[in-house]
Amino acid sequence: MTEQAINLDTFRAEVAGWLQENFPENLKGQGIAPFGGVEGDRVVEGDAALWRDRLASRGWGTPTWPADLGGGGLNHEEAKVLSEEMHHVGAINPIPLLAGMGVTMVGPTIMEYGTEDQKKRHIPGICSGKVRWCLGYSEPNAGSDLASLATKAEENGDHWLINGQKVWTSGADISQWCGALVRTDSGVKKRDGISFLMLKMDQPGVETRPIKLIAGASPFCETFFNDARAEKDDLLGALNDGWSVGKRLLQYERASQTGARPTSNKVSGSLQSLAKSYVGETATGELADADLRVRIADHLMHTRAHGLTIARITAEAKGNPEVSAAASILKNSATRVSQERAELTLEFMGHQGLGWEGDDFSEDEIEHVRGWLGGKAISIYGGSFEIQNNIIAKNILGLPETTQKG
Amino acid sequence: MAALSEEQRMIKDQASAWVREQAPVSTFRAMRDQDVAQGFFSETWQAMIEMGWTGLVVPETYGGAGLGYQTLGLVLEQLGRNLVASPLYASSVVGAAALMHSGSEDQKQALLPKIADGGRLVVLALEEGPRHNPSQIMCRAELTSSGVTLSGTKQFVMEGSAATDFVVAAKVDHGAGETGVGLFLVACDTPGVRRHAVKTMDSRGYASVTFNDVALDLEAMLAGPDTGQAVLEAVLDVATAALAAEMLGTAAAAFDMTLDYLKTRKQFGQVIGGFQALGHRAAGLYSEMELTRSCVEAALAALDNDAQDAQELVALAKCKASEFLHEMSSQLIQIHGGIGMTDEFDAGFYLKRARVLENALGNAAYHRDRYAKLLNF
């Protein structure tokens, strides 16, 4: 065995021992529910809080982040071992969920653009799982054309004063901090007058209103800034360089979105066997609806092609510092997988796929309706389907830009 | 593909350089214009023999290089790019696979080295109707005490004009009724074998072959009814995956030509690639190309590794390659506009080749159906 393998085995034993002592038995297999679920609408207490704090004390909620900032200081192999051992005992890492946008997006961006002081003030909070972050990006009049955002920040002595409105701020009503793109210069090209500010959500100048969506309750909010305050030393990156900072942050977002996820994890079993249970089958075992059968086959083949492409990109990435150009297609491809699956499921369920609530429908059926509706957002957020195609055309294929005038 | 081996990189570079310098599309055009009866230039074939491509997948014991299908795919993709016409695919891939999966040791010894050195062109004679349907074989092979009598007609035999030998799929009749499918090796000059060239739109050397009570020795039976079906399926898996690799190359070249045109053609005072409708179309085609590439590489790797799900991946690869080549060859014409319609421009060659290969060994619908069957629905 190589020295590295021996070290990994030692580490695995250490993790297993630590988990045995520290992971509360009654959280086993409970998933994210004790941590407030996706909506985060529950106070984390009891064993859930205990587990969060114990994990954070080792920095293992953010295992590969630097130890001096509250991370685990592990390399990728060690982090993999940690994750495997946690999976083994039925434990999850709740910290990425509890930190809102902190672990997936804000943290990596602060570590890339932030000053030493900013890293010391903000990263440990994210690692602790006690400070939740939201993002103030979109505005009512700045969606796909994000650069036309109008929320304004003006210098006011030792701080910034922020006025304007953000929308789709996920988790704004339960977050402690917000990373916001604000206009700091109106006299230049749109993209050149934007800055990235970090501000506290618990202050008189910030008001949030939850948004009800077509699928029902949602984590999204409208957020209003009326003379909200951000400290001078909470400007991330250079003044008026917020577009680069914000764009980089979105790359971290896309990196976390490329895996195709089923829109509903409640409907289990293979799609084809579920379809058979609603539609029936012929004497030779084929799905009774020939047209639907072809479209399900087409969908499953695309799903397979998507999975094989992720595997190929991963293989090509080994020992190659440049990201494979093929990676640019994954967001739209994953969107197609998710939305197509949801539409096909809705279709073959027939009447039973149309329920909203009540005992006439199974839990799975109702859950699927909500998932199908919610999934319509996948082709809108994180760079819409059309924006992704702009990116491929311009950045990968080298075609001239015509639609995103700065 | 994950990192290529040193050998694979060399073979790929060699193929790419040779195709670029020695086999441009103008060579194919010249072959078409001169109406070369066999459907390829002998010089082209000679060059391939000298580069060792004819023995690429033939095991070393039989005079080949014994390389895998992933390596073969690298060469086929390059050939597909410039529509190179040759019997390499039909004989050195499909014919070789038939012999590698069936036949006695003596038959392998006799024939595989000849395939590997290009001396014999051994091709599969399978199709009998307008659509790929290997489960409906009507050709009959009657077993008698002294040998085999073969009768029936095979259509659209690839490189059937130049072939020296046919591997014929036929229903075996023991005298007590038909049993399963067998494979039979028939030299083209055997009495009772008649062929005529079939003029297809892609200018390749297809033939229809009639077997009129052809008397063969028992040794001509490469696979009998007990193993024939399985052998045929294995050969078709290799043939189908390899064809998908060639089609990917053809489509990728069509994509490159289209992208180049989008960047140079000006209308309304700007290059047309700046119009969002065309930019998005190009982005969509690029995405389909990348997805198709993943499927083709996975299918070839599955064959090399004898993977459990090889059949699924082969069906996936041919379906995706057919769909993408179909759309890409149509867009090649559409985006080039009027010039794309002229014979002087190459786009038409790509469109014609595309439709022929889409249909070969089952179109997208055939393989979608097959995929669904493999997944039990």
Side-chain angles (χ1 to χ4, degrees):
Chain A
M1 267 210 276
T2 65
E3 192 178 331
Q4 194 195 15
I6 294 168
N7 287 343
L8 271 188
D9 278 352
T10 314
F11 180 68
R12 188 181 292 279
E14 182 196 335
V15 171
W18 185 84
L19 283 170
Q20 198 169 9
E21 273 177 38
N22 291 281
F23 177 60
E25 191 64 19
N26 60 356
L27 291 180
K28 186 172 180 170
Q30 291 282 307
I32 59 176
F35 303 95
V38 182
E39 267 86 50
D41 54 1
R42 197 182 303 168
V43 178
V44 179
E45 54 194 3
D47 280 342
L50 190 68
W51 171 235
R52 172 197 63 196
D53 295 343
R54 283 178 177 171
L55 200 60
S57 72
R58 298 292 305 253
W60 286 353
T62 46
T64 59
W65 291 15
D68 59 347
L69 293 173
L74 304 184
N75 62 35
H76 285 280
E77 282 80 16
E78 290 166 336
K80 197 165 155 238
V81 166
L82 173 63
S83 147
E84 286 164 1
E85 289 304 309
M86 282 176 51
H87 182 74
H88 194 61
V89 299
I92 63 146
N93 170 10
I95 287 173
L97 176 77
L98 294 172
M101 309 291 165
V103 172
T104 48
M105 291 179 254
V106 177
T109 312
I110 292 177
M111 286 194 275
E112 188 173 335
Y113 284 90
T115 62
E116 286 311 308
D117 167 61
Q118 286 172 333
K119 291 181 202 168
K120 282 196 189 113
R121 284 190 296 115
H122 293 299
I123 299 295
I126 294 172
C127 298
S128 74
K130 289 180 182 169
V131 179
R132 189 186 290 264
W133 282 75
C134 63
L135 284 175
Y137 267 51
S138 296
E139 297 181 6
N141 290 315
S144 283
D145 181 14
L146 187 60
S148 62
L149 59 92
T151 294
K152 213 179 207 178
E154 290 167 307
E155 296 195 62
N156 186 23
D158 64 345
H159 61 274
W160 296 91
L161 271 189
I162 306 169
N163 284 286
Q165 182 194 344
K166 293 288 177 184
V167 72
W168 307 120
T169 34
S170 189
D173 51 344
I174 51 170
S175 290
Q176 285 73 44
W177 278 81
C178 176
L181 287 178
V182 294
R183 184 151 304 287
T184 40
D185 190 343
S186 310
V188 293
K189 258 175 63 184
K190 287 190 296 187
R191 292 180 188 181
D192 298 339
I194 294 170
S195 298
F196 192 107
L197 282 178
M198 302 181 281
L199 69 149
K200 274 192 170 151
M201 291 297 282
D202 180 19
Q203 56 165 305
V206 177
E207 193 195 330
T208 63
R209 248 182 248 160
I211 303 172
K212 190 177 173 187
L213 292 181
I214 53 176
S218 86
F220 296 109
C221 296
E222 295 177 289
T223 301
F224 301 89
F225 299 124
N226 288 304
D227 283 343
R229 180 186 167 117
E231 301 308 319
K232 271 284 166 64
D233 53 10
D234 275 329
L235 172 71
L236 184 60
L239 183 64
N240 293 323
D241 193 29
W243 187 252
S244 328
V245 180
K247 229 170 50 174
R248 183 72 182 137
L249 184 141
L250 286 185
Q251 286 176 352
Y252 288 115
E253 178 182 28
R254 275 169 205 144
S256 67
Q257 276 175 1
T258 49
R261 295 159 297 181
T263 42
S264 164
N265 54 11
K266 275 292 179 104
V267 180
S268 53
S270 73
L271 193 69
Q272 62 270 33
S273 57
L274 192 65
K276 274 186 179 180
S277 72
Y278 282 89
V279 178
E281 56 185 298
T282 66
T284 49
E286 292 177 8
L287 192 69
D289 179 335
D291 178 80
L292 182 67
R293 174 177 179 264
V294 168
R295 287 182 290 122
I296 289 179
D298 181 59
H299 165 72
L300 293 175
M301 292 172 96
H302 177 257
T303 304
R304 188 84 171 264
H306 177 74
L308 290 170
T309 302
I310 293 176
R312 175 163 71 88
I313 289 167
T314 311
E316 284 171 357
K318 277 187 187 132
N320 186 351
E322 288 190 19
V323 181
S324 162
S328 66
I329 74 163
L330 293 179
K331 166 82 196 316
N332 278 357
S333 178
T335 298
R336 180 180 153 192
V337 168
S338 295
Q339 294 183 341
E340 212 171 59
R341 185 182 177 94
E343 285 290 0
L344 285 167
T345 306
L346 193 81
E347 181 184 336
F348 67 61
M349 283 179 170
H351 294 143
Q352 289 306 115
L354 306 174
W356 188 251
E357 54 193 21
D359 295 338
D360 296 310
F361 306 97
S362 73
E363 240 179 80
D364 284 1
E365 286 164 350
I366 288 181
E367 182 94 357
H368 179 264
V369 169
R370 307 300 175 112
W372 160 71
L373 285 164
K376 291 294 175 205
I378 305 173
S379 48
I380 301 169
Y381 63 56
S384 69
F385 191 87
E386 290 72 21
I387 293 288
Q388 296 297 332
N389 276 338
N390 283 349
I391 292 171
I392 296 170
K394 180 179 159 229
N395 296 357
I396 308 297
L397 304 181
L399 292 171
E401 178 174 37
T402 55
T403 52
Q404 293 172 293
K405 296 270 157 53
Chain B
M1 190 185 249
L4 297 179
S5 71
E6 189 60 31
E7 187 176 42
Q8 284 174 326
R9 180 155 298 285
M10 256 176 54
I11 289 174
K12 183 186 170 187
D13 289 348
Q14 181 194 33
S16 162
W18 180 80
V19 166
R20 199 172 50 245
E21 290 154 22
Q22 308 295 322
V25 182
S26 57
T27 306
F28 175 76
R29 176 180 291 277
M31 195 277 295
R32 194 273 315 249
D33 289 346
Q34 293 167 34
D35 205 9
V36 177
Q38 63 179 6
F40 57 91
F41 281 130
S42 297
E43 294 81 357
T44 301
W45 183 231
Q46 199 53 44
M48 288 181 174
I49 294 168
E50 280 161 21
M51 286 183 289
W53 294 348
T54 42
L56 212 61
V57 292
V58 174
E60 285 173 287
T61 12
Y62 306 113
L67 299 174
Y69 290 114
Q70 291 172 91
T71 309
L72 173 76
L74 299 171
V75 173
L76 292 177
E77 189 184 333
Q78 295 303 318
L79 297 177
R81 287 191 66 89
N82 280 4
L83 308 175
V84 178
S86 84
L88 186 77
Y89 168 77
S91 178
S92 311
V93 181
V94 185
L99 263 297
M100 281 151 64
H101 282 94
S102 69
S104 65
E105 186 54 36
D106 283 351
Q107 285 166 324
K108 289 183 207 284
Q109 290 282 3
L111 221 49
L112 279 170
K114 298 281 188 203
I115 293 176
D117 71 14
R120 296 274 278 274
L121 297 182
V122 181
V123 308
L124 183 67
L126 172 68
E127 308 294 358
E128 300 182 2
R131 293 165 70 87
H132 179 64
N133 191 356
S135 63
Q136 284 290 319
I137 288 170
M138 307 292 286
C139 259
R140 280 164 54 98
E142 215 169 313
L143 297 194
T144 63
S145 53
S146 57
V148 184
T149 308
L150 187 70
S151 50
T153 298
K154 293 291 183 182
Q155 299 181 338
F156 294 100
V157 178
M158 218 180 241
E159 310 300 341
S161 290
T164 59
D165 303 83
F166 301 107
V167 173
V168 183
K171 276 272 167 66
V172 179
D173 187 341
H174 278 297
E178 283 179 5
T179 52
V181 170
L183 293 180
F184 300 86
L185 182 69
V186 186
C188 63
D189 53 6
T190 313
V193 176
R194 279 207 336 261
R195 64 177 151 191
H196 75 266
V198 175
K199 294 278 187 185
T200 50
M201 63 183 178
D202 65 344
S203 311
R204 302 284 298 273
Y206 292 85
S208 256
V209 188
T210 303
F211 302 91
N212 196 3
D213 288 333
V214 177
L216 303 168
D217 291 339
L218 261 182
E219 288 83 76
M221 188 161 76
L222 293 170
D226 44 341
T227 59
Q229 191 61 40
V231 169
L232 182 60
E233 279 176 22
V235 173
L236 286 178
D237 278 341
V238 170
T240 306
L243 192 61
E246 183 180 321
M247 292 166 75
L248 172 65
T250 303
F255 179 86
D256 290 349
M257 288 161 73
T258 304
L259 184 62
D260 189 51
Y261 194 68
L262 286 171
K263 288 177 180 176
T264 48
R265 168 72 171 171
K266 282 189 179 166
Q267 289 285 273
F268 305 102
Q270 65 166 89
V271 294
I272 60 173
F275 294 116
Q276 198 180 38
L278 294 179
H280 282 196
R281 201 178 302 166
L285 291 167
Y286 174 76
S287 302
E288 289 305 319
M289 178 164 70
E290 291 300 324
L291 292 167
T292 303
R293 176 172 296 286
S294 309
C295 298
V296 169
E297 289 183 2
L300 294 169
L303 291 177
D304 280 339
N305 302 326
D306 267 328
Q308 287 272 313
D309 55 356
Q311 287 195 314
E312 284 168 36
L313 290 167
V314 168
L316 178 68
K318 180 61 164 64
C319 180
K320 285 283 168 195
S322 294
E323 286 176 336
F324 175 55
L325 180 56
H326 183 96
E327 180 63 11
M328 192 61 242
S329 56
S330 292
Q331 290 300 334
L332 173 66
I333 303 244
Q334 174 64 23
I335 291 176
H336 277 84
I339 187 157
M341 291 297 294
T342 64
D343 184 70
E344 189 185 354
F345 191 65
D346 292 335
F349 290 151
Y350 283 81
L351 182 71
K352 292 166 187 168
R353 175 72 69 86
R355 293 301 177 274
V356 174
L357 297 189
E358 282 166 52
N359 183 65
L361 303 181
N363 61 13
Y366 175 90
H367 286 284
R368 221 179 279 122
D369 175 71
R370 185 162 169 246
Y371 193 83
K373 284 198 177 99
L374 290 167
L375 264 61
N376 296 315
F377 76 101

